[in-house]
Amino acid sequence: MWQSPSEDLTRTGVKYFARHKGELNSCVFSPDCQILLTCSDDCRIFLWNAATGQLLAKVTGHTGPVKSCVFSPDCTLFASSSHDRTVRVWHTATTQCLRVLTGHSKSVETVCFSPDAKWLLSGGWDKTAILWDVQTGEIARIFSGHQGAIQTSMFSLNSQYVATGSWDYTVKVWSLRAQEREKTLEGHRGNVSCVCFSVSGMLASGSWDRTVRVWHPRLGTLLFLLEGHTGWVKNLAFSRDGIVLASSGDHDRVRLWDMSNGRCIKSLKVHAGLAQGCSFAPSGALLTTGPADFLLKAGNASEEQEADQAQQP
């Protein structure tokens, strides 16, 4: 767990992952942070040993750029979505494709597992989100209402709600209970590119408008407006205790926010100023990915030292 929002961070390692032949679209760690999963416009998915940088497997099957990839909570499965309008479910150990899910009419931009591993949600350019039964591969529900492409999605930690972010500048929170209507969260002035739930139930959304908004999702109220990024916000991650929110922006620093008051407590410079993603490891360490991958954890280095170190290869 994160011990204190005021702790300094130290870069402790750099690994390079450079085998894709197209733009990298998604980069995620397994729940235990042992495997790195990447997907690209080259239509392929790669699995890497996160500690050594060794390429473990090249996965093919999609016939278009792979836009998103994600592990199941127990890491036995991973899923991918593609411009080819399909979602695929794979067995992690063998990389065998178990299911090809068809139902979208346009490119599928996002896919995510529910924390209880029963459901898979996908969304894309057809402006719909589809809830799939992981065991059967059947469509359980279709969520409609966005006026633009769905770019991002995530389940709440109790698996009762899903959030979707769209190019219509809104976030929608959908209940898996049929009697509850969706909530529409408005305020962003650009495409919504990422959403993230905390353990306490807060919902954060990042946008091309260079801001992060933190919501009480069921009430639909805004808790914090987080400003400071100079590029569009690409990725969000709450610490496992919900005390800290990490955000990464295009050509920008990784910023850490105190969720008790909405203040920025750290601004971390990464290699070449690029941070494609960020997530917290079970140990509480912050992992960021981009042209290079960094492990950032509690240490003794000052913020200035961190910035100097990040300039070195």
Side-chain angles (χ1 to χ4, degrees):
M1 287 293 188
W2 191 271
Q3 298 300 315
S4 169
S6 64
E7 285 181 337
D8 287 321
L9 302 178
T10 302
R11 186 186 69 169
T12 62
V14 179
K15 300 295 178 187
Y16 293 90
F17 305 86
R19 294 284 191 91
H20 281 292
K21 300 184 183 299
E23 182 176 347
L24 189 69
N25 291 318
S26 183
C27 184
V28 295
F29 292 94
S30 60
D32 61 5
C33 295
Q34 298 301 305
I35 303 174
L36 186 67
L37 185 66
T38 61
C39 62
S40 167
D41 277 355
D42 63 12
C43 308
R44 297 188 295 178
I45 305 162
F46 287 175
L47 286 85
W48 312 80
N49 182 307
T52 66
Q54 177 188 1
L55 180 62
L56 302 176
K58 296 180 182 180
V59 182
T60 60
H62 282 295
T63 58
V66 186
K67 307 300 289 185
S68 178
C69 55
V70 64
F71 282 105
S72 65
D74 62 3
C75 204
T76 59
L77 305 174
F78 66 92
S80 56
S81 66
S82 171
H83 188 72
D84 66 12
R85 302 180 291 178
T86 70
V87 174
R88 288 177 178 253
V89 180
W90 313 80
H91 188 259
T92 303
T94 64
T95 67
Q96 177 187 1
C97 182
L98 302 178
R99 298 191 185 280
V100 180
L101 308 180
T102 58
H104 285 284
S105 60
K106 294 184 179 180
S107 176
V108 189
E109 298 293 305
T110 178
V111 64
C112 62
F113 278 97
S114 61
D116 61 13
K118 293 180 179 179
W119 309 106
L120 193 66
L121 187 80
S122 59
W125 277 94
D126 59 8
K127 305 176 187 177
T128 65
I130 298 179
L131 184 70
W132 308 88
D133 185 306
V134 172
Q135 290 298 317
T136 66
E138 298 295 322
I139 294 176
R141 194 169 166 187
I142 298 177
F143 300 103
S144 301
H146 277 297
Q147 301 303 306
I150 295 174
Q151 185 71 36
T152 180
S153 61
M154 191 174 186
F155 281 86
S156 62
L157 271 65
N158 63 7
S159 300
Q160 295 301 306
Y161 298 90
V162 291
T164 53
S166 170
W167 283 33
D168 63 11
Y169 301 1
T170 71
V171 177
K172 286 185 178 289
V173 181
W174 314 84
S175 174
L176 299 193
R177 302 183 183 100
Q179 67 272 21
E180 288 189 42
R181 290 183 58 83
E182 76 272 13
K183 289 279 186 182
T184 301
L185 310 180
E186 298 179 297
H188 281 297
R189 298 182 178 180
N191 301 335
V192 180
S193 49
C194 48
V195 291
C196 185
F197 278 100
S198 76
V199 67
S200 64
M202 289 188 293
L203 173 65
S205 58
S207 169
W208 288 22
D209 65 11
R210 305 178 183 181
T211 70
V212 176
R213 290 175 178 259
V214 182
W215 314 84
H216 188 301
R218 283 189 288 174
L219 296 180
T221 55
L222 181 68
L223 301 176
F224 301 117
L225 173 61
L226 310 181
E227 298 177 295
H229 280 290
T230 60
W232 60 281
V233 182
K234 302 188 75 169
N235 194 266
L236 297 167
F238 278 102
S239 60
R240 296 194 171 229
D241 54 15
I243 294 174
V244 173
L245 174 68
S247 59
S248 61
D250 190 42
H251 294 271
D252 201 359
R253 293 170 177 252
V254 175
R255 297 178 187 273
L256 303 180
W257 311 86
D258 186 339
M259 287 294 95
S260 67
N261 54 28
R263 293 176 56 191
C264 182
I265 52 177
K266 289 292 175 185
S267 177
L268 306 172
K269 187 172 183 179
V270 296
H271 186 79
L274 295 173
Q276 295 291 92
C278 53
S279 61
F280 284 90
S283 65
L286 172 64
L287 296 155
T288 70
T289 60
D293 291 89
F294 301 85
L295 172 59
L296 303 170
K297 67 178 184 180
N300 298 318
S302 68
E303 186 175 349
E304 291 77 17
Q305 288 172 321
E306 170 62 30
D308 290 340
Q309 290 172 339
Q311 297 285 352
Q312 301 175 16

